[in-house]
Amino acid sequence: LQILMLPMLDIVIEDASHIYTKSIKTFEMLVNKLNEGALYIIEDIYPKYLNYYNNDPRFEIYDLRANKGRGDDIIAVYIK
């Protein structure tokens, strides 16, 4: 019910649990609140979940680990 009260969104940056199933559940709860052309970014993807995102055609994956040498600097981006 609270999600219905949200305004339409242009960008969401999800930096929460970092657990694939929870991140996808949050995405699926909010995707209908995204305006056309909006961005939904899931950041700090743990490498053990990377294959799940790679196999999900909704997301473009950006591997930024080489920039800072951090193991979880991977983001998944959805553009509505």
Coordinates of all heavy atoms in Angstrom, one line a residue:
L1 N 0.8 -1.2 0.0 CA 0.0 0.0 0.0 C 0.9 1.3 0.0 O 0.6 2.2 -0.7 CB -1.0 0.0 1.2 CG -1.9 1.2 1.3 CD1 -2.8 1.2 0.1 CD2 -2.7 1.1 2.6
Q2 N 1.9 1.3 0.8 CA 2.8 2.4 0.8 C 3.4 2.7 -0.5 O 3.7 3.9 -0.9 CB 3.8 2.3 1.9 CG 3.2 2.3 3.3 CD 4.3 2.2 4.4 OE1 5.5 2.0 4.1 NE2 3.9 2.2 5.6
I3 N 3.7 1.7 -1.3 CA 4.3 1.9 -2.6 C 3.4 2.6 -3.5 O 3.8 3.5 -4.3 CB 4.7 0.5 -3.2 CG1 5.9 0.0 -2.4 CG2 5.1 0.6 -4.7 CD1 6.3 -1.4 -2.8
L4 N 2.1 2.3 -3.4 CA 1.1 3.0 -4.2 C 1.1 4.5 -3.9 O 0.8 5.3 -4.8 CB -0.3 2.5 -3.9 CG -0.5 1.0 -4.3 CD1 -1.9 0.6 -3.9 CD2 -0.3 0.8 -5.8
M5 N 1.5 4.9 -2.8 CA 1.6 6.4 -2.4 C 2.8 7.1 -2.9 O 2.9 8.3 -2.9 CB 1.5 6.5 -0.9 CG 0.2 5.9 -0.3 SD 0.1 5.9 1.5 CE 0.1 7.7 1.8
L6 N 3.8 6.3 -3.4 CA 5.0 7.0 -4.0 C 4.7 7.7 -5.2 O 3.8 7.3 -6.0 CB 6.1 5.9 -4.3 CG 6.8 5.3 -3.1 CD1 7.7 4.1 -3.7 CD2 7.6 6.3 -2.4
P7 N 5.4 8.8 -5.5 CA 5.2 9.5 -6.8 C 5.9 8.6 -7.8 O 6.7 7.7 -7.5 CB 5.9 10.8 -6.6 CG 7.0 10.5 -5.6 CD 6.3 9.5 -4.6
M8 N 5.7 9.0 -9.1 CA 6.5 8.3 -10.2 C 7.9 8.7 -10.0 O 8.2 9.9 -9.7 CB 5.9 8.7 -11.5 CG 4.5 8.1 -11.7 SD 4.4 6.3 -11.6 CE 5.2 5.8 -13.1
L9 N 8.8 7.8 -10.4 CA 10.2 8.0 -10.1 C 11.1 8.1 -11.4 O 10.7 7.4 -12.4 CB 10.8 6.9 -9.2 CG 10.0 6.7 -7.9 CD1 10.5 5.4 -7.3 CD2 10.3 7.8 -7.0
D10 N 12.1 8.9 -11.4 CA 13.0 9.0 -12.5 C 14.3 8.2 -12.3 O 15.0 7.9 -13.2 CB 13.4 10.5 -12.8 CG 12.2 11.3 -13.3 OD1 11.5 10.7 -14.1 OD2 12.0 12.4 -12.9
I11 N 14.7 8.0 -11.0 CA 15.9 7.3 -10.7 C 15.7 6.6 -9.3 O 15.1 7.2 -8.4 CB 17.1 8.1 -10.7 CG1 18.4 7.3 -10.6 CG2 17.1 9.2 -9.7 CD1 19.7 8.0 -10.9
V12 N 16.2 5.3 -9.2 CA 16.3 4.6 -8.0 C 17.7 4.1 -7.9 O 18.1 3.4 -8.9 CB 15.2 3.5 -7.9 CG1 15.4 2.6 -6.6 CG2 13.8 4.0 -8.0
I13 N 18.3 4.3 -6.8 CA 19.6 3.7 -6.5 C 19.4 2.7 -5.3 O 19.2 3.2 -4.2 CB 20.7 4.7 -6.3 CG1 20.8 5.6 -7.5 CG2 22.1 4.0 -6.0 CD1 21.8 6.8 -7.3
E14 N 19.5 1.4 -5.6 CA 19.3 0.4 -4.6 C 20.6 0.0 -4.0 O 21.4 -0.6 -4.7 CB 18.5 -0.7 -5.1 CG 17.9 -1.7 -4.1 CD 18.8 -2.9 -3.8 OE1 19.9 -2.7 -3.3 OE2 18.3 -4.0 -4.1
D15 N 20.8 0.3 -2.8 CA 22.1 0.0 -2.1 C 21.7 -0.6 -0.7 O 22.1 -0.2 0.3 CB 22.9 1.2 -1.9 CG 24.3 1.0 -1.3 OD1 24.8 -0.2 -1.5 OD2 24.9 1.9 -0.8
A16 N 20.9 -1.7 -0.8 CA 20.4 -2.3 0.4 C 21.1 -3.6 0.8 O 22.2 -3.6 1.2 CB 18.9 -2.5 0.3
S17 N 20.4 -4.7 0.7 CA 20.9 -5.9 1.3 C 22.0 -6.6 0.5 O 22.8 -7.3 1.1 CB 19.7 -6.9 1.4 OG 19.4 -7.4 0.1
H18 N 22.1 -6.3 -0.8 CA 23.1 -6.9 -1.6 C 22.9 -8.4 -1.9 O 23.7 -9.1 -2.4 CB 24.5 -6.7 -1.1 CG 24.8 -5.3 -0.8 ND1 24.8 -4.3 -1.8 CD2 25.2 -4.7 0.3 CE1 25.1 -3.1 -1.2 NE2 25.3 -3.3 0.1
I19 N 21.7 -8.9 -1.5 CA 21.3 -10.3 -1.7 C 20.4 -10.3 -2.9 O 19.4 -9.6 -3.0 CB 20.6 -10.9 -0.5 CG1 21.6 -10.9 0.7 CG2 20.1 -12.3 -0.8 CD1 21.0 -11.3 2.0
Y20 N 20.8 -11.1 -3.9 CA 20.1 -11.1 -5.2 C 18.6 -11.2 -5.0 O 17.9 -10.3 -5.6 CB 20.6 -12.2 -6.1 CG 19.8 -12.4 -7.4 CD1 20.1 -11.5 -8.4 CD2 18.9 -13.3 -7.5 CE1 19.3 -11.6 -9.6 CE2 18.1 -13.4 -8.7 CZ 18.4 -12.6 -9.7 OH 17.7 -12.7 -10.9
T21 N 18.1 -12.1 -4.3 CA 16.6 -12.3 -4.2 C 15.9 -11.1 -3.6 O 14.8 -10.7 -4.1 CB 16.3 -13.6 -3.5 OG1 16.9 -13.5 -2.2 CG2 16.7 -14.8 -4.2
K22 N 16.5 -10.5 -2.7 CA 15.9 -9.3 -2.0 C 16.0 -8.1 -2.9 O 15.1 -7.3 -3.0 CB 16.6 -9.0 -0.7 CG 16.3 -10.1 0.3 CD 16.9 -9.8 1.7 CE 16.5 -10.9 2.7 NZ 17.0 -10.5 4.0
S23 N 17.1 -7.9 -3.6 CA 17.3 -6.8 -4.6 C 16.3 -6.9 -5.7 O 15.7 -5.9 -6.1 CB 18.7 -6.7 -5.1 OG 19.6 -6.4 -4.1
I24 N 16.1 -8.1 -6.2 CA 15.1 -8.3 -7.3 C 13.7 -8.1 -6.8 O 12.9 -7.5 -7.5 CB 15.3 -9.7 -8.0 CG1 16.7 -9.7 -8.7 CG2 14.2 -10.0 -8.9 CD1 16.8 -8.7 -9.8
K25 N 13.4 -8.6 -5.7 CA 12.1 -8.3 -5.1 C 11.8 -6.8 -5.0 O 10.7 -6.4 -5.3 CB 11.9 -9.0 -3.8 CG 10.5 -8.9 -3.2 CD 10.3 -9.7 -2.0 CE 8.9 -9.7 -1.5 NZ 8.6 -10.6 -0.4
T26 N 12.7 -6.1 -4.5 CA 12.6 -4.6 -4.4 C 12.4 -4.0 -5.8 O 11.5 -3.2 -6.0 CB 13.8 -4.0 -3.7 OG1 13.9 -4.6 -2.4 CG2 13.6 -2.5 -3.5
F27 N 13.2 -4.4 -6.7 CA 13.1 -3.9 -8.1 C 11.7 -4.2 -8.6 O 11.0 -3.3 -9.2 CB 14.1 -4.6 -9.0 CG 13.9 -4.4 -10.4 CD1 14.2 -3.2 -11.1 CD2 13.3 -5.4 -11.2 CE1 14.0 -3.0 -12.4 CE2 13.1 -5.3 -12.6 CZ 13.4 -4.1 -13.2
E28 N 11.2 -5.4 -8.5 CA 9.9 -5.8 -9.0 C 8.7 -5.0 -8.3 O 7.7 -4.8 -8.9 CB 9.7 -7.3 -8.9 CG 10.6 -8.0 -9.9 CD 10.6 -9.5 -9.8 OE1 10.2 -10.1 -8.8 OE2 11.2 -10.1 -10.8
M29 N 9.0 -4.7 -7.0 CA 8.0 -3.9 -6.3 C 7.9 -2.4 -6.8 O 6.9 -1.8 -6.8 CB 8.3 -3.9 -4.8 CG 8.0 -5.2 -4.2 SD 8.6 -5.3 -2.4 CE 7.7 -4.0 -1.7
L30 N 9.0 -1.9 -7.3 CA 9.1 -0.5 -7.7 C 9.1 -0.3 -9.2 O 8.9 0.9 -9.6 CB 10.4 0.1 -7.1 CG 10.5 0.3 -5.6 CD1 11.8 0.8 -5.2 CD2 9.4 1.2 -5.1
V31 N 9.3 -1.3 -10.0 CA 9.4 -1.0 -11.5 C 8.2 -0.3 -12.1 O 8.4 0.5 -13.0 CB 9.7 -2.4 -12.2 CG1 8.6 -3.3 -12.2 CG2 10.3 -2.1 -13.6
N32 N 7.0 -0.6 -11.5 CA 5.8 0.1 -12.1 C 5.7 1.6 -11.7 O 4.9 2.3 -12.2 CB 4.6 -0.7 -11.7 CG 4.5 -2.0 -12.4 OD1 4.9 -2.1 -13.5 ND2 3.9 -3.0 -11.7
K33 N 6.6 2.0 -10.7 CA 6.6 3.4 -10.3 C 7.6 4.2 -11.1 O 7.8 5.4 -10.8 CB 6.9 3.5 -8.8 CG 5.8 2.9 -7.9 CD 4.4 3.4 -8.1 CE 4.3 4.8 -7.5 NZ 2.9 5.3 -7.6
L34 N 8.3 3.6 -12.1 CA 9.3 4.3 -12.8 C 8.7 4.9 -14.1 O 7.9 4.3 -14.8 CB 10.4 3.3 -13.3 CG 11.2 2.6 -12.2 CD1 12.1 1.6 -12.9 CD2 12.0 3.6 -11.4
N35 N 9.1 6.2 -14.3 CA 8.7 6.9 -15.5 C 9.4 6.3 -16.7 O 10.4 5.6 -16.5 CB 9.1 8.4 -15.4 CG 8.2 9.1 -14.4 OD1 6.9 9.0 -14.5 ND2 8.7 9.9 -13.6
E36 N 8.9 6.5 -17.9 CA 9.5 6.1 -19.1 C 10.9 6.8 -19.1 O 11.0 8.0 -18.9 CB 8.7 6.5 -20.3 CG 9.2 5.8 -21.6 CD 9.0 4.3 -21.6 OE1 8.1 3.8 -20.9 OE2 9.8 3.6 -22.2
G37 N 12.0 6.0 -19.4 CA 13.3 6.5 -19.5 C 14.0 6.6 -18.1 O 15.2 7.0 -18.0
A38 N 13.3 6.2 -17.1 CA 13.9 6.2 -15.7 C 15.0 5.1 -15.6 O 15.0 4.1 -16.3 CB 12.8 5.9 -14.7
L39 N 15.9 5.4 -14.6 CA 17.0 4.4 -14.3 C 16.7 3.8 -13.0 O 16.3 4.4 -12.0 CB 18.3 5.2 -14.2 CG 18.9 5.8 -15.4 CD1 20.1 6.6 -15.0 CD2 19.2 4.8 -16.5
Y40 N 17.0 2.5 -12.9 CA 17.0 1.7 -11.7 C 18.4 1.1 -11.6 O 18.8 0.3 -12.4 CB 15.9 0.7 -11.7 CG 15.7 0.1 -10.3 CD1 14.6 0.5 -9.5 CD2 16.5 -0.9 -9.8 CE1 14.4 -0.1 -8.3 CE2 16.3 -1.5 -8.5 CZ 15.2 -1.1 -7.8 OH 15.0 -1.6 -6.5
I41 N 19.1 1.5 -10.5 CA 20.5 1.0 -10.4 C 20.6 0.2 -9.1 O 20.2 0.6 -8.0 CB 21.5 2.2 -10.3 CG1 21.4 3.0 -11.6 CG2 22.9 1.7 -10.1 CD1 22.0 4.4 -11.5
I42 N 21.1 -1.0 -9.3 CA 21.4 -1.9 -8.1 C 23.0 -1.9 -8.0 O 23.7 -2.3 -8.9 CB 20.9 -3.3 -8.3 CG1 19.4 -3.3 -8.5 CG2 21.3 -4.2 -7.1 CD1 18.8 -4.6 -8.9
E43 N 23.5 -1.4 -6.9 CA 24.9 -1.2 -6.8 C 25.5 -2.2 -5.7 O 24.8 -2.8 -5.0 CB 25.3 0.2 -6.4 CG 24.8 0.7 -5.1 CD 25.4 2.1 -4.8 OE1 25.7 2.8 -5.7 OE2 25.5 2.4 -3.6
D44 N 26.8 -2.4 -5.8 CA 27.6 -3.2 -5.0 C 27.1 -4.7 -5.0 O 26.8 -5.3 -4.0 CB 27.5 -2.8 -3.5 CG 28.2 -1.4 -3.3 OD1 29.0 -1.0 -4.2 OD2 27.9 -0.7 -2.3
I45 N 27.0 -5.2 -6.3 CA 26.6 -6.6 -6.5 C 27.8 -7.5 -6.1 O 28.9 -7.3 -6.5 CB 26.2 -6.8 -8.0 CG1 25.0 -6.0 -8.3 CG2 26.1 -8.3 -8.3 CD1 24.6 -6.0 -9.7
Y46 N 27.5 -8.4 -5.2 CA 28.5 -9.4 -4.8 C 28.8 -10.3 -6.0 O 27.9 -10.8 -6.7 CB 28.1 -10.2 -3.6 CG 28.0 -9.4 -2.3 CD1 27.3 -9.8 -1.2 CD2 28.6 -8.1 -2.2 CE1 27.2 -9.1 -0.1 CE2 28.5 -7.4 -1.0 CZ 27.8 -7.9 0.0 OH 27.7 -7.2 1.2
P47 N 30.1 -10.6 -6.2 CA 30.5 -11.5 -7.3 C 29.7 -12.8 -7.3 O 29.4 -13.4 -8.4 CB 32.0 -11.7 -7.1 CG 32.4 -10.4 -6.4 CD 31.3 -10.1 -5.5
K48 N 29.4 -13.4 -6.1 CA 28.7 -14.7 -6.1 C 27.3 -14.6 -6.7 O 26.7 -15.6 -7.1 CB 28.6 -15.3 -4.7 CG 27.7 -14.5 -3.8 CD 27.7 -15.2 -2.4 CE 26.8 -14.6 -1.4 NZ 26.8 -15.4 -0.1
Y49 N 26.7 -13.4 -6.9 CA 25.4 -13.2 -7.5 C 25.5 -12.7 -9.0 O 24.5 -12.5 -9.6 CB 24.6 -12.2 -6.7 CG 24.3 -12.7 -5.3 CD1 24.7 -11.9 -4.2 CD2 23.6 -13.9 -5.1 CE1 24.4 -12.3 -2.9 CE2 23.4 -14.3 -3.8 CZ 23.8 -13.5 -2.7 OH 23.5 -13.9 -1.4
L50 N 26.7 -12.4 -9.5 CA 26.9 -11.8 -10.8 C 26.2 -12.6 -11.9 O 25.6 -12.0 -12.8 CB 28.4 -11.6 -11.0 CG 28.7 -10.9 -12.3 CD1 28.0 -9.5 -12.4 CD2 30.2 -10.7 -12.4
N51 N 26.3 -13.9 -11.9 CA 25.7 -14.7 -12.9 C 24.2 -14.6 -13.0 O 23.6 -14.6 -14.1 CB 26.1 -16.2 -12.8 CG 27.5 -16.5 -13.2 OD1 28.1 -15.8 -14.0 ND2 28.1 -17.6 -12.7
Y52 N 23.6 -14.4 -11.9 CA 22.1 -14.2 -11.9 C 21.8 -12.9 -12.7 O 20.8 -12.9 -13.5 CB 21.6 -14.1 -10.5 CG 21.6 -15.3 -9.6 CD1 22.5 -15.4 -8.6 CD2 20.8 -16.4 -9.9 CE1 22.6 -16.6 -7.8 CE2 20.9 -17.6 -9.2 CZ 21.8 -17.7 -8.1 OH 21.9 -18.8 -7.4
Y53 N 22.5 -11.9 -12.4 CA 22.3 -10.6 -13.1 C 22.7 -10.7 -14.6 O 22.0 -10.2 -15.5 CB 23.0 -9.5 -12.5 CG 22.4 -9.0 -11.1 CD1 23.0 -9.5 -9.9 CD2 21.3 -8.2 -11.1 CE1 22.5 -9.1 -8.7 CE2 20.8 -7.8 -9.8 CZ 21.4 -8.3 -8.7 OH 20.8 -7.9 -7.5
N54 N 23.8 -11.4 -14.9 CA 24.2 -11.6 -16.3 C 23.1 -12.3 -17.1 O 23.0 -12.1 -18.3 CB 25.5 -12.3 -16.3 CG 26.7 -11.4 -16.1 OD1 26.7 -10.2 -16.4 ND2 27.8 -12.0 -15.5
N55 N 22.4 -13.2 -16.4 CA 21.3 -14.0 -17.1 C 20.0 -13.3 -17.1 O 19.0 -13.9 -17.6 CB 21.3 -15.4 -16.5 CG 22.5 -16.2 -16.7 OD1 23.1 -16.1 -17.8 ND2 22.9 -17.0 -15.8
D56 N 19.9 -12.1 -16.5 CA 18.6 -11.4 -16.5 C 18.7 -10.3 -17.6 O 19.4 -9.3 -17.4 CB 18.4 -10.8 -15.1 CG 17.0 -10.2 -14.9 OD1 16.4 -9.7 -15.9 OD2 16.6 -10.2 -13.8
P57 N 17.9 -10.5 -18.6 CA 18.0 -9.5 -19.8 C 17.5 -8.1 -19.4 O 17.7 -7.2 -20.3 CB 17.2 -10.2 -20.9 CG 16.2 -11.1 -20.1 CD 16.9 -11.5 -18.9
R58 N 16.9 -7.9 -18.3 CA 16.4 -6.6 -17.9 C 17.6 -5.6 -17.6 O 17.4 -4.4 -17.6 CB 15.5 -6.6 -16.8 CG 14.2 -7.5 -17.0 CD 13.4 -7.6 -15.8 NE 14.0 -8.5 -14.9 CZ 13.4 -8.9 -13.8 NH1 12.2 -8.6 -13.5 NH2 14.1 -9.7 -12.9
F59 N 18.8 -6.2 -17.2 CA 19.8 -5.4 -16.7 C 21.1 -5.3 -17.6 O 21.4 -6.3 -18.2 CB 20.3 -5.9 -15.3 CG 19.2 -5.8 -14.3 CD1 18.4 -6.9 -14.0 CD2 18.9 -4.6 -13.7 CE1 17.4 -6.8 -13.0 CE2 17.9 -4.5 -12.7 CZ 17.1 -5.6 -12.4
E60 N 21.7 -4.2 -17.6 CA 23.0 -4.0 -18.2 C 24.0 -4.1 -17.0 O 23.7 -3.4 -16.0 CB 23.2 -2.7 -18.9 CG 22.4 -2.6 -20.2 CD 23.0 -3.4 -21.3 OE1 24.2 -3.6 -21.4 OE2 22.1 -3.9 -22.1
I61 N 25.1 -4.8 -17.1 CA 26.0 -4.9 -16.0 C 27.3 -4.1 -16.3 O 27.8 -4.1 -17.4 CB 26.4 -6.4 -15.8 CG1 25.2 -7.3 -15.7 CG2 27.4 -6.6 -14.7 CD1 24.3 -6.9 -14.6
Y62 N 27.7 -3.4 -15.3 CA 28.9 -2.6 -15.3 C 29.9 -3.0 -14.2 O 29.6 -2.9 -13.1 CB 28.6 -1.1 -15.2 CG 27.8 -0.6 -16.4 CD1 26.4 -0.6 -16.3 CD2 28.3 -0.2 -17.6 CE1 25.6 -0.2 -17.3 CE2 27.5 0.2 -18.6 CZ 26.2 0.2 -18.5 OH 25.4 0.6 -19.5
D63 N 31.0 -3.6 -14.6 CA 32.0 -4.1 -13.7 C 33.1 -3.0 -13.5 O 33.9 -2.8 -14.4 CB 32.6 -5.4 -14.2 CG 33.5 -6.1 -13.2 OD1 33.9 -5.5 -12.3 OD2 33.7 -7.3 -13.4
L64 N 33.0 -2.4 -12.3 CA 33.9 -1.3 -12.0 C 35.0 -1.7 -11.0 O 35.6 -0.8 -10.4 CB 33.1 -0.1 -11.5 CG 31.9 0.3 -12.4 CD1 31.0 1.3 -11.7 CD2 32.4 0.8 -13.7
R65 N 35.2 -3.0 -10.8 CA 36.1 -3.5 -9.7 C 37.5 -3.0 -10.0 O 38.3 -2.8 -9.0 CB 36.1 -5.0 -9.6 CG 34.8 -5.5 -9.0 CD 34.7 -7.0 -9.0 NE 34.5 -7.5 -10.3 CZ 34.3 -8.8 -10.6 NH1 34.3 -9.7 -9.6 NH2 34.1 -9.2 -11.8
A66 N 37.9 -2.8 -11.2 CA 39.3 -2.4 -11.5 C 39.6 -1.0 -11.1 O 40.7 -0.6 -10.9 CB 39.6 -2.6 -13.0
N67 N 38.5 -0.2 -11.0 CA 38.7 1.3 -10.6 C 39.3 1.5 -9.3 O 40.1 2.3 -9.1 CB 37.4 2.0 -10.8 CG 36.9 2.1 -12.2 OD1 37.6 1.7 -13.1 ND2 35.7 2.5 -12.4
K68 N 38.7 0.8 -8.3 CA 39.2 1.0 -6.9 C 39.7 -0.3 -6.3 O 40.1 -0.3 -5.1 CB 38.0 1.5 -6.0 CG 37.5 2.8 -6.3 CD 36.4 3.2 -5.3 CE 35.7 4.4 -5.7 NZ 34.6 4.7 -4.7
G69 N 39.6 -1.4 -7.0 CA 40.1 -2.7 -6.5 C 39.2 -3.3 -5.4 O 39.6 -4.1 -4.7
R70 N 37.9 -2.9 -5.4 CA 36.9 -3.4 -4.5 C 36.2 -4.5 -5.2 O 35.7 -4.4 -6.3 CB 36.0 -2.3 -4.0 CG 36.6 -1.3 -3.1 CD 35.7 -0.3 -2.6 NE 34.4 -0.9 -2.3 CZ 33.3 -0.1 -2.0 NH1 33.4 1.2 -2.0 NH2 32.2 -0.7 -1.7
G71 N 36.0 -5.6 -4.5 CA 35.4 -6.8 -5.0 C 33.9 -6.7 -5.4 O 33.4 -7.5 -6.2
D72 N 33.2 -5.7 -4.8 CA 31.8 -5.6 -5.0 C 31.4 -4.4 -5.9 O 30.2 -4.0 -5.9 CB 31.0 -5.7 -3.7 CG 31.3 -4.5 -2.9 OD1 32.2 -3.7 -3.2 OD2 30.6 -4.3 -1.9
D73 N 32.3 -3.8 -6.5 CA 32.0 -2.6 -7.4 C 31.5 -3.0 -8.7 O 32.1 -2.8 -9.8 CB 33.2 -1.7 -7.5 CG 33.4 -0.8 -6.4 OD1 32.5 -0.6 -5.6 OD2 34.5 -0.2 -6.2
I74 N 30.3 -3.7 -8.7 CA 29.6 -4.1 -9.9 C 28.2 -3.5 -9.7 O 27.6 -3.5 -8.7 CB 29.5 -5.6 -10.0 CG1 30.9 -6.2 -9.9 CG2 28.8 -6.0 -11.3 CD1 30.9 -7.7 -9.8
I75 N 27.7 -2.9 -10.8 CA 26.3 -2.4 -10.8 C 25.5 -3.0 -11.9 O 26.0 -3.3 -13.0 CB 26.3 -0.8 -10.8 CG1 26.9 -0.3 -12.1 CG2 27.0 -0.2 -9.6 CD1 26.7 1.2 -12.3
A76 N 24.2 -3.1 -11.6 CA 23.2 -3.5 -12.6 C 22.3 -2.3 -12.9 O 21.8 -1.7 -12.0 CB 22.4 -4.7 -12.1
V77 N 22.1 -2.0 -14.2 CA 21.3 -0.9 -14.5 C 20.1 -1.3 -15.4 O 20.3 -2.0 -16.4 CB 22.2 0.2 -15.3 CG1 21.3 1.4 -15.7 CG2 23.3 0.6 -14.4
Y78 N 19.0 -0.9 -15.0 CA 17.7 -1.1 -15.8 C 17.3 0.3 -16.3 O 17.2 1.3 -15.5 CB 16.7 -1.7 -14.9 CG 15.3 -1.7 -15.5 CD1 14.9 -2.7 -16.4 CD2 14.3 -0.7 -15.2 CE1 13.6 -2.7 -17.0 CE2 13.1 -0.7 -15.8 CZ 12.7 -1.7 -16.6 OH 11.5 -1.7 -17.2
I79 N 17.0 0.4 -17.6 CA 16.4 1.6 -18.1 C 15.0 1.3 -18.7 O 14.8 0.4 -19.5 CB 17.3 2.2 -19.3 CG1 18.7 2.4 -18.8 CG2 16.6 3.4 -19.9 CD1 19.7 2.8 -19.9
K80 N 14.0 2.0 -18.1 CA 12.6 1.7 -18.5 C 12.4 2.3 -19.9 O 12.8 3.4 -20.2 CB 11.7 2.2 -17.5 CG 10.2 1.8 -17.8 CD 9.4 2.0 -16.6 CE 8.0 1.4 -17.0 NZ 7.1 1.7 -15.9

